[in-house]
Structures are given as structure tokens and as C-alpha cells.
Amino acid sequence: MYRILAFDGGGIRGMFSLILVDRIDRQRPGWIDGADLIAGTSIGGIIALGLASGMEIPRMQELLVTIGKRIFTRQSYARRLMSSSLSSPRYSSKPLEEELEKHFQDKRLCDIEKGVMLTSFMLDNKGAGGKRRSWGPKIFHNLDPVTGDPDVRCVDAALYTSAAPTYFPSRDGFVDGGVTANNPSMCAYALARNTLRNEGMDDDIALLSIGTGEANSYIDANTEGWGSIEWSKVIIPLLTDGPAKIADYQMRAVLGRSYMRLNAAFDGSGPIGLDDIHCLRALKEAAESYDISPALEWLDSTWLI
């Protein structure tokens, strides 16, 4: 059995994911050690790197709070006025880079013993290998040196996967993996299956997907006459939620009982933004009240056998 643990993107909502993982770990100590591949997008990619490198869950929670406070609450009023997302990124990625450097230093993906995968999006392939120039998804991983990226620094990979457009500056021509796969489950499954097939191994796969929570989102209006202005208010949630739910559908169809998805709808009338540091308490409450008993049963019957 090849075991995959996959984390969605969602900025500060990654706290929801970490608390769920911590609650499960208290009930099934050491279960994460059984993962052959830990995958993630954006904050989920940072969580994946942390867990794959052996970082303790409480330390990951502290890191997320520290990053959130440094980036989202310490921006001066003058800076906010100057850095409207209409003309430049809302936030600097420097605090994130500094915190990541403290843990990973100069470690590369090949220095992480456990399999790890992060999604990103490449803005220009430079016509590499004679191809026509075109943007497209990029999967960073350490599963093999041929299709993988063993020499990429962990800090750089983390910044590539989390460079959310309008929120953070792009990094070396890469932006947030949520542009194409905010739920990285299908990407992780495809990578693992291809790797196992190339190595002549059985592709019996189990996958646990962990979301960052979601709002009960809908549009209660006649949209037939909407143009750019009206759609601009909802287009980003549409472009992240839609593919995430498609990935969930695909994984249920492909893996059946070997797949488990943990996610919850938050109370309230609107979504929690990826930079909404003031919603940490609500995130913690939602994660603490989430029923993990089906996940524990699934682990016992599928993951821990």
C-alpha cells in the first residue's frame, strides 16, 4: 500500500488543516510516519514540506501564526495605501522567506528523506526543449531525479507554491499552485502512480486529502447580464473552489474506499480570506468541533493495515 497525504491551499486557513492533523495524531500517534508522499498547494505545500522534513505539528502551528502575524498584521497604514492590489502585491513575501530560512536553511528537496510534492504555476517555459513558449502547471517533487527537482531549495519551492497573485509577488516566474490545483490530490495520485509504474511496483494507493475549510458559497442573483466588474468579485473563489471540488470527485471515482477527504463548511455568510488573521479563533473552533471519527475508522481499515 502506497500512502499519500495531501493538503489544500488556503493561506491562514491552513490552521484548520493543522489542527485536524494534530487531533488525529493524538488518537493515532505516528500515523504520519506511514505516509510515502506528502503533497500540498500554497500553505498546504509549506505544511507538506514541514511534515516531510520532520517538523512537529505544534511547531508548524507556531510557524503559521508567526508568519500570519508578521505578514498580515504588521503592514503600516502608509504601506497599505501604497500597495493596493490594483497596482502591486498586497504583501511582501520577505517575512515568509525569513521564517522558512530558519527551519530549512539551504536544504534541497533531495535532502528530504520522505517523498514530498508541491504544486505551482510557471508563467513562461522560455521555449525550453524546443517547445513553444507557454505558461502551465509545475509539479515540484523529490520522488526521482529525472522528472523531479532534487536540487531546488526547500525555501524556494515553498515560495513558488505560495506566491498567490495579487497577494504576493511572483517568484522566479512562478505563482501559487492554487491557480491550477488548490486541491493537489489528483496531481499527487498521478505522480505516485506514474512513479510506481516506472519502478514496476504495485499501484495500490490510499490517499487522505485535507482541506482548509470552505464557506457555503453561492450566487443568489441573475448573472445573465454580468460583465467583468460583476464577475471580478467572485472569480477567484470560483477558480479555486471549482477545480478543488473536481479533484475530490475524480479521487472518489478513481480510488473509492481508498480515498478520504476531510473538510468543513464554516459558519457565517462569507468566505474566510487567506489573509484573515483575525479568524484564527473561528478556524480553531471549526477544526476542534469537526467529527474525525470517520477518518479514524478509515485510517484503521485502510492506512494502518
Side-chain angles (χ1 to χ4, degrees):
M1 175 71 72
Y2 190 92
R3 299 163 179 83
I4 302 172
L5 180 56
F7 292 94
D8 284 15
I12 202 67
R13 299 201 316 267
M15 182 60 73
F16 176 85
S17 308
L18 285 171
I19 292 176
L20 283 187
V21 170
D22 188 41
R23 289 182 61 206
I24 293 172
D25 196 58
R26 278 182 261 144
Q27 296 292 321
R28 299 294 185 272
W31 70 277
I32 297 175
D33 294 337
D36 298 288
L37 173 63
I38 306 181
T41 293
S42 196
I43 186 60
I46 294 173
I47 291 172
L49 269 176
L51 294 179
S53 64
M55 188 183 293
E56 298 291 333
I57 299 172
R59 174 69 184 105
M60 288 292 303
Q61 293 175 329
E62 292 174 5
L63 178 63
L64 180 57
V65 172
T66 299
I67 291 171
K69 287 182 176 179
R70 287 196 63 191
I71 294 175
F72 303 135
T73 64
R74 296 187 179 181
Q75 188 180 38
S76 69
Y77 180 69
R79 170 66 179 167
R80 289 198 298 271
L81 288 177
M82 293 173 60
S83 63
S84 164
S85 60
L86 294 176
S87 60
S88 63
R90 294 182 189 177
Y91 307 107
S92 167
S93 58
K94 191 64 177 177
L96 172 60
E97 184 174 2
E98 290 172 352
E99 293 300 327
L100 292 171
E101 291 277 7
K102 292 177 183 178
H103 177 73
F104 294 107
Q105 299 178 346
D106 287 326
K107 283 186 178 180
R108 299 174 297 167
L109 292 183
C110 63
D111 297 320
I112 306 297
E113 294 185 5
K114 188 177 290 294
V116 66
M117 185 208 89
L118 298 87
T119 69
S120 186
F121 194 85
M122 179 176 56
L123 299 176
D124 187 355
N125 67 3
K126 308 297 184 186
K131 298 178 181 179
R132 297 178 62 186
R133 294 179 69 169
S134 179
W135 58 21
K138 168 62 180 174
I139 306 299
F140 289 94
H141 69 88
N142 65 353
L143 293 192
D144 72 77
V146 178
T147 67
D149 311 271
D151 293 327
V152 171
R153 294 175 68 242
C154 293
V155 171
D156 289 330
L159 294 171
Y160 295 154
T161 191
S162 60
T166 76
Y167 287 91
F168 297 105
S170 61
R171 177 83 172 194
D172 299 335
F174 293 97
V175 294
D176 197 300
V179 168
T180 186
N182 204 53
N183 174 349
S185 297
M186 194 65 189
C187 294
Y189 170 77
L191 172 64
R193 192 172 187 276
N194 189 54
T195 301
L196 292 170
R197 183 172 58 229
N198 289 340
E199 295 179 356
M201 299 173 64
D202 183 20
D203 61 355
D204 185 16
I205 295 173
L207 192 150
L208 176 59
S209 171
I210 300 183
T212 57
E214 61 183 10
N216 289 317
S217 301
Y218 55 87
I219 298 174
D220 189 14
N222 185 345
T223 60
E224 292 179 4
W226 280 20
S228 299
I229 294 176
E230 291 85 0
W231 282 112
S232 66
K233 301 174 184 178
V234 297
I235 195 65
I236 291 180
L238 280 176
L239 293 179
T240 55
D241 288 358
K245 292 182 178 181
I246 282 291
D248 180 44
Y249 166 79
Q250 291 168 328
M251 293 313 307
R252 292 183 189 280
V254 171
L255 287 181
R257 294 181 179 178
S258 294
Y259 169 75
M260 169 65 71
R261 169 81 167 165
L262 306 184
N263 207 18
F266 298 133
D267 294 332
S269 58
I272 294 177
L274 65 83
D275 60 347
D276 197 345
I277 189 73
H278 302 294
C279 285
L280 275 174
R281 178 176 294 181
L283 291 168
K284 292 178 180 178
E285 290 175 353
E288 291 290 354
S289 63
Y290 188 86
D291 182 11
I292 63 171
S293 57
L296 296 176
E297 293 173 4
W298 181 85
L299 286 171
D300 291 339
S301 64
T302 305
W303 187 280
L304 297 173
I305 59 174

